[in-house]
Short mmCIF file of all heavy atoms in Angstrom, two decimals:
data_model
loop_
_atom_site.label_atom_id
_atom_site.label_comp_id
_atom_site.label_asym_id
_atom_site.label_seq_id
_atom_site.Cartn_x
_atom_site.Cartn_y
_atom_site.Cartn_z
N HIS A 1 -118.03 98.72 -135.43
CA HIS A 1 -118.36 100.14 -135.46
C HIS A 1 -117.54 100.90 -136.49
O HIS A 1 -117.87 102.03 -136.83
CB HIS A 1 -118.20 100.76 -134.07
CG HIS A 1 -116.78 100.86 -133.61
ND1 HIS A 1 -115.94 101.83 -134.07
CD2 HIS A 1 -116.06 100.14 -132.72
CE1 HIS A 1 -114.76 101.70 -133.48
NE2 HIS A 1 -114.81 100.68 -132.67
N LEU A 2 -116.47 100.29 -137.01
CA LEU A 2 -115.64 100.97 -138.01
C LEU A 2 -116.33 101.11 -139.36
O LEU A 2 -115.95 101.95 -140.16
CB LEU A 2 -114.31 100.22 -138.18
CG LEU A 2 -113.36 100.27 -137.00
CD1 LEU A 2 -112.16 99.39 -137.28
CD2 LEU A 2 -112.94 101.69 -136.71
N LEU A 3 -117.33 100.28 -139.62
CA LEU A 3 -118.00 100.32 -140.92
C LEU A 3 -119.24 101.22 -140.92
O LEU A 3 -119.87 101.36 -141.95
CB LEU A 3 -118.37 98.91 -141.36
CG LEU A 3 -117.19 97.96 -141.55
CD1 LEU A 3 -117.68 96.57 -141.94
CD2 LEU A 3 -116.24 98.49 -142.61
N LYS A 4 -119.58 101.80 -139.81
CA LYS A 4 -120.73 102.70 -139.77
C LYS A 4 -120.43 103.98 -140.55
O LYS A 4 -119.27 104.38 -140.69
CB LYS A 4 -121.08 103.06 -138.33
CG LYS A 4 -121.65 101.90 -137.55
CD LYS A 4 -122.05 102.35 -136.16
CE LYS A 4 -122.62 101.19 -135.37
NZ LYS A 4 -122.95 101.58 -134.01
N LYS A 5 -121.48 104.61 -141.03
CA LYS A 5 -121.34 105.81 -141.84
C LYS A 5 -120.59 106.91 -141.10
O LYS A 5 -119.80 107.64 -141.68
CB LYS A 5 -122.71 106.30 -142.30
CG LYS A 5 -122.65 107.40 -143.31
CD LYS A 5 -124.02 107.73 -143.84
CE LYS A 5 -123.91 108.78 -144.92
NZ LYS A 5 -125.19 109.06 -145.54
N GLU A 6 -120.82 107.04 -139.78
CA GLU A 6 -120.17 108.09 -139.00
C GLU A 6 -118.66 107.91 -138.95
O GLU A 6 -117.92 108.87 -138.78
CB GLU A 6 -120.71 108.11 -137.56
CG GLU A 6 -122.19 108.27 -137.43
CD GLU A 6 -122.96 106.95 -137.51
OE1 GLU A 6 -122.53 105.95 -136.92
OE2 GLU A 6 -123.97 106.94 -138.23
N ALA A 7 -118.19 106.69 -139.09
CA ALA A 7 -116.76 106.40 -138.97
C ALA A 7 -116.01 106.55 -140.29
O ALA A 7 -114.78 106.50 -140.30
CB ALA A 7 -116.56 104.99 -138.42
N MET A 8 -116.72 106.76 -141.38
CA MET A 8 -116.06 106.76 -142.69
C MET A 8 -115.03 107.88 -142.85
O MET A 8 -114.06 107.71 -143.56
CB MET A 8 -117.10 106.85 -143.80
CG MET A 8 -117.96 105.61 -143.89
SD MET A 8 -116.98 104.14 -143.99
CE MET A 8 -117.50 103.51 -145.52
N GLY A 9 -115.20 109.02 -142.21
CA GLY A 9 -114.25 110.11 -142.35
C GLY A 9 -113.15 110.11 -141.31
O GLY A 9 -112.21 110.88 -141.40
N LYS A 10 -113.25 109.25 -140.34
CA LYS A 10 -112.24 109.22 -139.28
C LYS A 10 -110.93 108.67 -139.82
O LYS A 10 -110.90 107.69 -140.53
CB LYS A 10 -112.73 108.38 -138.10
CG LYS A 10 -113.89 109.01 -137.38
CD LYS A 10 -114.29 108.19 -136.19
CE LYS A 10 -115.46 108.87 -135.49
NZ LYS A 10 -115.90 108.11 -134.34
N GLY A 11 -109.85 109.32 -139.45
CA GLY A 11 -108.54 108.86 -139.86
C GLY A 11 -108.11 109.36 -141.22
O GLY A 11 -107.07 108.97 -141.72
N VAL A 12 -108.90 110.26 -141.82
CA VAL A 12 -108.57 110.82 -143.13
C VAL A 12 -108.56 112.34 -142.99
O VAL A 12 -109.57 112.94 -142.61
CB VAL A 12 -109.57 110.41 -144.22
CG1 VAL A 12 -109.23 111.06 -145.56
CG2 VAL A 12 -109.65 108.90 -144.34
N TYR A 13 -107.43 112.95 -143.29
CA TYR A 13 -107.31 114.40 -143.21
C TYR A 13 -106.74 114.92 -144.52
O TYR A 13 -105.73 114.42 -145.01
CB TYR A 13 -106.40 114.79 -142.04
CG TYR A 13 -106.87 114.21 -140.73
CD1 TYR A 13 -106.33 113.03 -140.23
CD2 TYR A 13 -107.89 114.83 -140.02
CE1 TYR A 13 -106.78 112.48 -139.04
CE2 TYR A 13 -108.36 114.29 -138.83
CZ TYR A 13 -107.80 113.13 -138.34
OH TYR A 13 -108.26 112.57 -137.17
N ILE A 14 -107.42 115.91 -145.08
CA ILE A 14 -107.01 116.47 -146.37
C ILE A 14 -106.70 117.94 -146.19
O ILE A 14 -107.49 118.68 -145.61
CB ILE A 14 -108.11 116.28 -147.43
CG1 ILE A 14 -108.41 114.80 -147.61
CG2 ILE A 14 -107.71 116.93 -148.74
CD1 ILE A 14 -109.57 114.49 -148.50
N THR A 15 -105.56 118.36 -146.71
CA THR A 15 -105.14 119.75 -146.67
C THR A 15 -105.06 120.26 -148.10
O THR A 15 -104.40 119.65 -148.94
CB THR A 15 -103.76 119.90 -145.99
OG1 THR A 15 -103.82 119.30 -144.70
CG2 THR A 15 -103.34 121.34 -145.88
N TYR A 16 -105.75 121.37 -148.35
CA TYR A 16 -105.69 122.01 -149.67
C TYR A 16 -104.55 123.01 -149.68
O TYR A 16 -104.45 123.84 -148.78
CB TYR A 16 -107.01 122.68 -149.99
CG TYR A 16 -108.14 121.70 -150.13
CD1 TYR A 16 -108.98 121.41 -149.07
CD2 TYR A 16 -108.36 121.03 -151.33
CE1 TYR A 16 -110.01 120.48 -149.18
CE2 TYR A 16 -109.37 120.11 -151.46
CZ TYR A 16 -110.19 119.83 -150.38
OH TYR A 16 -111.19 118.92 -150.50
N ASN A 17 -103.71 122.94 -150.68
CA ASN A 17 -102.54 123.82 -150.78
C ASN A 17 -102.81 124.97 -151.73
O ASN A 17 -103.74 124.94 -152.54
CB ASN A 17 -101.33 123.00 -151.26
CG ASN A 17 -101.04 121.85 -150.34
OD1 ASN A 17 -100.90 122.00 -149.14
ND2 ASN A 17 -100.98 120.64 -150.89
N ASP A 18 -101.97 126.00 -151.63
CA ASP A 18 -102.14 127.20 -152.46
C ASP A 18 -102.02 126.91 -153.95
O ASP A 18 -102.58 127.63 -154.77
CB ASP A 18 -101.09 128.26 -152.07
CG ASP A 18 -101.34 128.82 -150.68
OD1 ASP A 18 -102.50 128.76 -150.21
OD2 ASP A 18 -100.37 129.30 -150.06
N ASP A 19 -101.30 125.87 -154.32
CA ASP A 19 -101.10 125.55 -155.74
C ASP A 19 -102.19 124.59 -156.27
O ASP A 19 -102.00 123.95 -157.29
CB ASP A 19 -99.72 124.97 -155.96
CG ASP A 19 -99.50 123.66 -155.20
OD1 ASP A 19 -100.37 123.26 -154.41
OD2 ASP A 19 -98.43 123.05 -155.40
N ASN A 20 -103.33 124.53 -155.58
CA ASN A 20 -104.48 123.69 -155.96
C ASN A 20 -104.18 122.20 -155.90
O ASN A 20 -104.82 121.41 -156.58
CB ASN A 20 -105.02 124.07 -157.34
CG ASN A 20 -105.61 125.46 -157.34
OD1 ASN A 20 -106.21 125.88 -156.35
ND2 ASN A 20 -105.44 126.18 -158.43
N SER A 21 -103.21 121.82 -155.11
CA SER A 21 -102.94 120.40 -154.88
C SER A 21 -103.44 120.05 -153.48
O SER A 21 -103.84 120.93 -152.72
CB SER A 21 -101.45 120.11 -155.01
OG SER A 21 -100.73 120.76 -153.98
N VAL A 22 -103.43 118.77 -153.18
CA VAL A 22 -103.85 118.33 -151.86
C VAL A 22 -102.77 117.48 -151.21
O VAL A 22 -101.98 116.83 -151.90
CB VAL A 22 -105.17 117.53 -151.89
CG1 VAL A 22 -106.33 118.41 -152.31
CG2 VAL A 22 -105.07 116.31 -152.78
N ALA A 23 -102.77 117.50 -149.89
CA ALA A 23 -101.93 116.60 -149.10
C ALA A 23 -102.91 115.76 -148.27
O ALA A 23 -103.86 116.30 -147.69
CB ALA A 23 -100.99 117.38 -148.21
N ILE A 24 -102.70 114.47 -148.25
CA ILE A 24 -103.62 113.56 -147.58
C ILE A 24 -102.88 112.81 -146.48
O ILE A 24 -101.76 112.33 -146.68
CB ILE A 24 -104.22 112.56 -148.60
CG1 ILE A 24 -104.95 113.33 -149.70
CG2 ILE A 24 -105.14 111.57 -147.91
CD1 ILE A 24 -105.34 112.51 -150.88
N GLU A 25 -103.53 112.74 -145.32
CA GLU A 25 -102.98 112.02 -144.18
C GLU A 25 -103.97 110.91 -143.83
O GLU A 25 -105.15 111.17 -143.60
CB GLU A 25 -102.83 112.98 -143.01
CG GLU A 25 -102.18 112.40 -141.80
CD GLU A 25 -101.98 113.45 -140.71
OE1 GLU A 25 -101.37 114.49 -141.00
OE2 GLU A 25 -102.48 113.19 -139.60
N LEU A 26 -103.50 109.67 -143.83
CA LEU A 26 -104.34 108.52 -143.52
C LEU A 26 -103.83 107.80 -142.28
O LEU A 26 -102.63 107.53 -142.17
CB LEU A 26 -104.32 107.53 -144.69
CG LEU A 26 -104.78 108.06 -146.04
CD1 LEU A 26 -104.50 107.02 -147.12
CD2 LEU A 26 -106.23 108.42 -146.01
N HIS A 27 -104.72 107.50 -141.37
CA HIS A 27 -104.39 106.74 -140.16
C HIS A 27 -105.09 105.39 -140.29
O HIS A 27 -106.31 105.35 -140.43
CB HIS A 27 -104.84 107.49 -138.91
CG HIS A 27 -104.06 108.74 -138.70
ND1 HIS A 27 -102.99 108.80 -137.83
CD2 HIS A 27 -104.16 109.98 -139.26
CE1 HIS A 27 -102.48 110.03 -137.87
NE2 HIS A 27 -103.18 110.75 -138.72
N ILE A 28 -104.31 104.32 -140.25
CA ILE A 28 -104.86 102.99 -140.51
C ILE A 28 -104.53 102.02 -139.39
O ILE A 28 -103.66 102.26 -138.56
CB ILE A 28 -104.35 102.43 -141.85
CG1 ILE A 28 -102.83 102.20 -141.81
CG2 ILE A 28 -104.74 103.33 -143.01
CD1 ILE A 28 -102.29 101.42 -142.99
N MET A 29 -105.26 100.91 -139.41
CA MET A 29 -105.00 99.78 -138.53
C MET A 29 -104.72 98.58 -139.44
O MET A 29 -105.41 98.39 -140.44
CB MET A 29 -106.24 99.50 -137.67
CG MET A 29 -106.09 98.32 -136.76
SD MET A 29 -107.54 98.05 -135.70
CE MET A 29 -108.76 97.59 -136.90
N ILE A 30 -103.71 97.80 -139.11
CA ILE A 30 -103.37 96.64 -139.93
C ILE A 30 -103.34 95.39 -139.08
O ILE A 30 -103.33 95.46 -137.85
CB ILE A 30 -102.03 96.83 -140.65
CG1 ILE A 30 -100.89 97.01 -139.64
CG2 ILE A 30 -102.08 97.99 -141.63
CD1 ILE A 30 -99.52 97.00 -140.26
N ASP A 31 -103.31 94.25 -139.74
CA ASP A 31 -103.21 92.97 -139.04
C ASP A 31 -101.75 92.61 -138.81
O ASP A 31 -100.87 92.96 -139.61
CB ASP A 31 -103.86 91.85 -139.86
CG ASP A 31 -105.36 91.97 -139.94
OD1 ASP A 31 -105.96 92.50 -138.99
OD2 ASP A 31 -105.94 91.53 -140.96
N GLN A 32 -101.50 91.90 -137.74
CA GLN A 32 -100.16 91.44 -137.42
C GLN A 32 -99.66 90.52 -138.53
O GLN A 32 -100.42 89.74 -139.11
CB GLN A 32 -100.17 90.68 -136.10
CG GLN A 32 -98.81 90.20 -135.66
CD GLN A 32 -98.87 89.45 -134.34
OE1 GLN A 32 -99.92 89.03 -133.90
NE2 GLN A 32 -97.72 89.29 -133.72
N GLY A 33 -98.40 90.65 -138.87
CA GLY A 33 -97.80 89.79 -139.89
C GLY A 33 -97.84 90.39 -141.28
O GLY A 33 -97.29 89.82 -142.22
N VAL A 34 -98.49 91.54 -141.43
CA VAL A 34 -98.57 92.20 -142.74
C VAL A 34 -97.27 92.96 -142.98
O VAL A 34 -96.69 93.54 -142.06
CB VAL A 34 -99.79 93.16 -142.76
CG1 VAL A 34 -99.79 94.00 -144.00
CG2 VAL A 34 -101.07 92.38 -142.64
N ASN A 35 -96.82 92.97 -144.21
CA ASN A 35 -95.62 93.70 -144.59
C ASN A 35 -95.96 95.19 -144.63
O ASN A 35 -96.51 95.67 -145.62
CB ASN A 35 -95.12 93.19 -145.93
CG ASN A 35 -93.77 93.76 -146.28
OD1 ASN A 35 -93.40 94.86 -145.88
ND2 ASN A 35 -93.03 93.01 -147.08
N VAL A 36 -95.63 95.91 -143.58
CA VAL A 36 -96.04 97.31 -143.43
C VAL A 36 -95.53 98.20 -144.56
O VAL A 36 -96.30 98.96 -145.15
CB VAL A 36 -95.62 97.86 -142.04
CG1 VAL A 36 -95.94 99.35 -141.92
CG2 VAL A 36 -96.29 97.08 -140.94
N PRO A 37 -94.25 98.17 -144.93
CA PRO A 37 -93.79 99.05 -146.01
C PRO A 37 -94.51 98.80 -147.34
O PRO A 37 -94.85 99.75 -148.05
CB PRO A 37 -92.30 98.72 -146.14
CG PRO A 37 -91.91 98.16 -144.81
CD PRO A 37 -93.13 97.43 -144.33
N VAL A 38 -94.77 97.55 -147.65
CA VAL A 38 -95.44 97.22 -148.91
C VAL A 38 -96.89 97.71 -148.89
O VAL A 38 -97.37 98.31 -149.85
CB VAL A 38 -95.38 95.70 -149.20
CG1 VAL A 38 -96.27 95.32 -150.36
CG2 VAL A 38 -93.95 95.29 -149.47
N ILE A 39 -97.60 97.48 -147.79
CA ILE A 39 -98.97 97.93 -147.67
C ILE A 39 -99.05 99.45 -147.78
O ILE A 39 -99.89 100.00 -148.51
CB ILE A 39 -99.59 97.46 -146.32
CG1 ILE A 39 -99.79 95.96 -146.34
CG2 ILE A 39 -100.89 98.18 -146.02
CD1 ILE A 39 -100.80 95.46 -147.35
N CYS A 40 -98.19 100.15 -147.06
CA CYS A 40 -98.21 101.61 -147.09
C CYS A 40 -97.88 102.15 -148.48
O CYS A 40 -98.51 103.09 -148.96
CB CYS A 40 -97.25 102.19 -146.05
SG CYS A 40 -97.82 101.91 -144.36
N GLU A 41 -96.91 101.55 -149.14
CA GLU A 41 -96.54 101.96 -150.49
C GLU A 41 -97.72 101.77 -151.46
O GLU A 41 -98.00 102.63 -152.29
CB GLU A 41 -95.33 101.16 -150.96
CG GLU A 41 -94.78 101.60 -152.30
CD GLU A 41 -93.53 100.82 -152.67
OE1 GLU A 41 -92.61 100.76 -151.82
OE2 GLU A 41 -93.48 100.28 -153.78
N ASN A 42 -98.43 100.63 -151.34
CA ASN A 42 -99.59 100.38 -152.19
C ASN A 42 -100.71 101.36 -151.91
O ASN A 42 -101.38 101.83 -152.85
CB ASN A 42 -100.09 98.95 -152.00
CG ASN A 42 -99.17 97.93 -152.63
OD1 ASN A 42 -98.40 98.25 -153.54
ND2 ASN A 42 -99.23 96.71 -152.16
N ILE A 43 -100.95 101.68 -150.66
CA ILE A 43 -101.99 102.65 -150.31
C ILE A 43 -101.66 104.02 -150.88
O ILE A 43 -102.51 104.68 -151.48
CB ILE A 43 -102.16 102.72 -148.78
CG1 ILE A 43 -102.81 101.44 -148.26
CG2 ILE A 43 -103.01 103.94 -148.38
CD1 ILE A 43 -102.83 101.32 -146.75
N ILE A 44 -100.42 104.45 -150.72
CA ILE A 44 -100.00 105.76 -151.24
C ILE A 44 -100.20 105.83 -152.74
O ILE A 44 -100.76 106.79 -153.28
CB ILE A 44 -98.53 106.04 -150.86
CG1 ILE A 44 -98.42 106.26 -149.36
CG2 ILE A 44 -97.97 107.22 -151.64
CD1 ILE A 44 -97.00 106.23 -148.83
N SER A 45 -99.77 104.80 -153.44
CA SER A 45 -99.89 104.76 -154.90
C SER A 45 -101.35 104.78 -155.34
O SER A 45 -101.75 105.54 -156.22
CB SER A 45 -99.18 103.52 -155.43
OG SER A 45 -99.36 103.39 -156.81
N GLU A 46 -102.16 103.95 -154.72
CA GLU A 46 -103.56 103.82 -155.11
C GLU A 46 -104.37 105.09 -154.79
O GLU A 46 -105.16 105.54 -155.62
CB GLU A 46 -104.19 102.62 -154.40
CG GLU A 46 -105.54 102.21 -154.93
CD GLU A 46 -105.50 101.60 -156.33
OE1 GLU A 46 -104.43 101.17 -156.78
OE2 GLU A 46 -106.56 101.57 -156.96
N VAL A 47 -104.14 105.67 -153.64
CA VAL A 47 -104.85 106.90 -153.27
C VAL A 47 -104.46 108.03 -154.21
O VAL A 47 -105.34 108.76 -154.70
CB VAL A 47 -104.56 107.27 -151.80
CG1 VAL A 47 -105.02 108.69 -151.48
CG2 VAL A 47 -105.25 106.29 -150.86
N SER A 48 -103.19 108.19 -154.48
CA SER A 48 -102.75 109.25 -155.40
C SER A 48 -103.39 109.07 -156.78
O SER A 48 -103.89 110.03 -157.37
CB SER A 48 -101.23 109.23 -155.55
OG SER A 48 -100.62 109.56 -154.34
N TYR A 49 -103.35 107.86 -157.29
CA TYR A 49 -103.92 107.59 -158.61
C TYR A 49 -105.42 107.86 -158.65
O TYR A 49 -105.92 108.52 -159.55
CB TYR A 49 -103.63 106.15 -159.02
CG TYR A 49 -104.35 105.76 -160.29
CD1 TYR A 49 -103.89 106.22 -161.53
CD2 TYR A 49 -105.48 104.96 -160.25
CE1 TYR A 49 -104.57 105.90 -162.69
CE2 TYR A 49 -106.15 104.63 -161.41
CZ TYR A 49 -105.69 105.10 -162.63
OH TYR A 49 -106.37 104.79 -163.77
N LYS A 50 -106.15 107.34 -157.66
CA LYS A 50 -107.62 107.48 -157.65
C LYS A 50 -108.04 108.93 -157.52
O LYS A 50 -108.97 109.36 -158.21
CB LYS A 50 -108.24 106.65 -156.52
CG LYS A 50 -108.10 105.18 -156.68
CD LYS A 50 -109.02 104.66 -157.74
CE LYS A 50 -108.94 103.15 -157.78
NZ LYS A 50 -109.79 102.56 -158.78
N ILE A 51 -107.41 109.69 -156.66
CA ILE A 51 -107.77 111.10 -156.47
C ILE A 51 -107.49 111.88 -157.74
O ILE A 51 -108.34 112.64 -158.22
CB ILE A 51 -107.00 111.72 -155.29
CG1 ILE A 51 -107.38 111.06 -153.97
CG2 ILE A 51 -107.21 113.23 -155.22
CD1 ILE A 51 -108.80 111.28 -153.54
N THR A 52 -106.32 111.71 -158.31
CA THR A 52 -105.96 112.44 -159.53
C THR A 52 -106.84 112.06 -160.70
O THR A 52 -107.32 112.93 -161.44
CB THR A 52 -104.47 112.22 -159.88
OG1 THR A 52 -103.68 112.64 -158.77
CG2 THR A 52 -104.07 113.02 -161.10
N SER A 53 -107.09 110.77 -160.89
CA SER A 53 -107.88 110.34 -162.05
C SER A 53 -109.36 110.68 -161.92
O SER A 53 -110.02 110.97 -162.91
CB SER A 53 -107.70 108.85 -162.30
OG SER A 53 -108.24 108.10 -161.24
N SER A 54 -109.89 110.69 -160.70
CA SER A 54 -111.32 110.96 -160.56
C SER A 54 -111.65 112.44 -160.40
O SER A 54 -112.76 112.86 -160.73
CB SER A 54 -111.92 110.17 -159.40
OG SER A 54 -111.36 110.59 -158.18
N THR A 55 -110.70 113.25 -159.91
CA THR A 55 -110.99 114.67 -159.68
C THR A 55 -110.15 115.60 -160.52
O THR A 55 -110.51 116.76 -160.68
CB THR A 55 -110.77 115.04 -158.20
OG1 THR A 55 -109.39 114.93 -157.88
CG2 THR A 55 -111.60 114.18 -157.27
N GLY A 56 -109.01 115.14 -160.99
CA GLY A 56 -108.10 116.00 -161.74
C GLY A 56 -107.22 116.85 -160.83
O GLY A 56 -106.41 117.64 -161.31
N ILE A 57 -107.37 116.71 -159.52
CA ILE A 57 -106.57 117.47 -158.56
C ILE A 57 -105.25 116.76 -158.33
O ILE A 57 -105.21 115.54 -158.13
CB ILE A 57 -107.33 117.62 -157.22
CG1 ILE A 57 -108.63 118.40 -157.44
CG2 ILE A 57 -106.46 118.28 -156.17
CD1 ILE A 57 -109.52 118.45 -156.22
N ALA A 58 -104.17 117.54 -158.36
CA ALA A 58 -102.84 116.97 -158.11
C ALA A 58 -102.70 116.62 -156.64
O ALA A 58 -103.16 117.35 -155.77
CB ALA A 58 -101.77 117.95 -158.53
N VAL A 59 -102.06 115.50 -156.38
CA VAL A 59 -101.80 115.06 -155.01
C VAL A 59 -100.34 115.34 -154.71
O VAL A 59 -99.45 114.75 -155.33
CB VAL A 59 -102.14 113.57 -154.82
CG1 VAL A 59 -101.78 113.12 -153.41
CG2 VAL A 59 -103.60 113.31 -155.12
N ARG A 60 -100.10 116.26 -153.79
CA ARG A 60 -98.73 116.63 -153.44
C ARG A 60 -98.06 115.52 -152.62
O ARG A 60 -96.92 115.15 -152.86
CB ARG A 60 -98.69 117.92 -152.65
CG ARG A 60 -97.27 118.34 -152.28
CD ARG A 60 -97.22 119.54 -151.39
NE ARG A 60 -97.59 120.75 -152.13
CZ ARG A 60 -97.60 121.95 -151.60
NH1 ARG A 60 -97.29 122.11 -150.33
NH2 ARG A 60 -97.93 122.99 -152.33
N GLN A 61 -98.81 114.98 -151.65
CA GLN A 61 -98.25 113.90 -150.84
C GLN A 61 -99.37 113.12 -150.17
O GLN A 61 -100.46 113.64 -149.97
CB GLN A 61 -97.28 114.44 -149.79
CG GLN A 61 -97.95 115.23 -148.67
CD GLN A 61 -96.93 115.82 -147.72
OE1 GLN A 61 -96.00 116.47 -148.17
NE2 GLN A 61 -97.11 115.60 -146.44
N VAL A 62 -99.05 111.88 -149.87
CA VAL A 62 -99.93 111.02 -149.09
C VAL A 62 -99.08 110.44 -147.97
O VAL A 62 -98.06 109.81 -148.23
CB VAL A 62 -100.54 109.87 -149.94
CG1 VAL A 62 -101.37 108.96 -149.08
CG2 VAL A 62 -101.34 110.42 -151.10
N ASP A 63 -99.50 110.69 -146.75
CA ASP A 63 -98.80 110.16 -145.58
C ASP A 63 -99.69 109.10 -144.94
O ASP A 63 -100.87 109.34 -144.70
CB ASP A 63 -98.50 111.25 -144.55
CG ASP A 63 -97.52 112.28 -145.08
OD1 ASP A 63 -96.54 111.87 -145.74
OD2 ASP A 63 -97.72 113.48 -144.84
N VAL A 64 -99.12 107.92 -144.68
CA VAL A 64 -99.85 106.83 -144.06
C VAL A 64 -99.24 106.56 -142.69
O VAL A 64 -98.03 106.34 -142.57
CB VAL A 64 -99.80 105.56 -144.93
CG1 VAL A 64 -100.52 104.41 -144.24
CG2 VAL A 64 -100.39 105.82 -146.30
N PHE A 65 -100.10 106.61 -141.67
CA PHE A 65 -99.67 106.36 -140.31
C PHE A 65 -100.35 105.08 -139.81
O PHE A 65 -101.58 104.97 -139.86
CB PHE A 65 -100.05 107.52 -139.38
CG PHE A 65 -99.39 108.80 -139.76
CD1 PHE A 65 -100.00 109.69 -140.64
CD2 PHE A 65 -98.13 109.12 -139.27
CE1 PHE A 65 -99.38 110.86 -141.01
CE2 PHE A 65 -97.51 110.31 -139.62
CZ PHE A 65 -98.13 111.19 -140.50
N VAL A 66 -99.56 104.13 -139.36
CA VAL A 66 -100.11 102.89 -138.80
C VAL A 66 -100.33 103.15 -137.32
O VAL A 66 -99.38 103.23 -136.54
CB VAL A 66 -99.16 101.69 -139.03
CG1 VAL A 66 -99.73 100.45 -138.38
CG2 VAL A 66 -98.93 101.47 -140.51
N ASP A 67 -101.59 103.34 -136.95
CA ASP A 67 -101.94 103.66 -135.56
C ASP A 67 -102.00 102.44 -134.66
O ASP A 67 -101.78 102.55 -133.45
CB ASP A 67 -103.26 104.42 -135.50
CG ASP A 67 -103.13 105.84 -136.04
OD1 ASP A 67 -102.01 106.33 -136.14
OD2 ASP A 67 -104.18 106.43 -136.35
N SER A 68 -102.37 101.30 -135.22
CA SER A 68 -102.42 100.11 -134.40
C SER A 68 -102.28 98.86 -135.25
O SER A 68 -102.50 98.88 -136.45
CB SER A 68 -103.73 100.04 -133.60
OG SER A 68 -104.83 99.93 -134.47
N ILE A 69 -101.88 97.80 -134.58
CA ILE A 69 -101.72 96.50 -135.23
C ILE A 69 -102.62 95.51 -134.50
O ILE A 69 -102.51 95.33 -133.30
CB ILE A 69 -100.26 96.02 -135.19
CG1 ILE A 69 -99.38 97.01 -135.97
CG2 ILE A 69 -100.12 94.62 -135.75
CD1 ILE A 69 -97.90 96.72 -135.90
N SER A 70 -103.52 94.88 -135.26
CA SER A 70 -104.46 93.93 -134.71
C SER A 70 -103.75 92.60 -134.48
O SER A 70 -103.05 92.09 -135.36
CB SER A 70 -105.63 93.75 -135.67
OG SER A 70 -106.48 92.73 -135.22
N LEU A 71 -103.95 92.01 -133.33
CA LEU A 71 -103.31 90.73 -133.01
C LEU A 71 -104.26 89.57 -133.25
O LEU A 71 -104.39 88.69 -132.44
CB LEU A 71 -102.85 90.75 -131.55
CG LEU A 71 -101.90 91.86 -131.16
CD1 LEU A 71 -101.64 91.84 -129.67
CD2 LEU A 71 -100.60 91.75 -131.94
N SER A 72 -104.92 89.56 -134.41
CA SER A 72 -105.90 88.49 -134.69
C SER A 72 -105.28 87.24 -135.19
O SER A 72 -104.21 87.06 -135.55
CB SER A 72 -106.92 88.96 -135.69
OG SER A 72 -106.33 89.46 -136.86
#
């Protein structure tokens, strides 16, 4: 059910700031055994780069919250 169109916006929150920048909050689920700091750092870097390069909007911050860990 996570791949359905209705679920695509869940866990993503964007706040527009007065200085025309955005703050992004991402809630994710990861697999057990994954290096959490490395994954979060990569997500922050990639999201900031993609948003800025595709829209020209400055990204003030990206916060990544690990909501659950899959025990697969």
Side-chain angles (χ1 to χ4, degrees):
H1 70 77
L2 292 175
L3 298 178
K4 291 183 180 177
K5 189 173 183 176
E6 304 86 43
M8 293 307 241
K10 292 183 180 179
V12 178
Y13 304 97
I14 300 174
T15 304
Y16 295 95
N17 302 308
D18 293 336
D19 62 354
N20 294 325
S21 66
V22 294
I24 301 168
E25 184 177 305
L26 302 171
H27 292 262
I28 64 170
M29 178 177 67
I30 60 172
D31 291 330
Q32 182 180 16
V34 172
N35 188 332
V36 176
V38 170
I39 291 295
C40 291
E41 185 177 309
N42 287 338
I43 290 171
I44 291 167
S45 175
E46 192 69 18
V47 167
S48 295
Y49 172 75
K50 293 286 186 180
I51 296 294
T52 302
S53 66
S54 65
T55 66
I57 297 172
V59 177
R60 181 186 288 182
Q61 70 185 51
V62 176
D63 295 318
V64 178
F65 297 91
V66 178
D67 288 343
S68 64
I69 298 175
S70 174
L71 302 174
S72 53

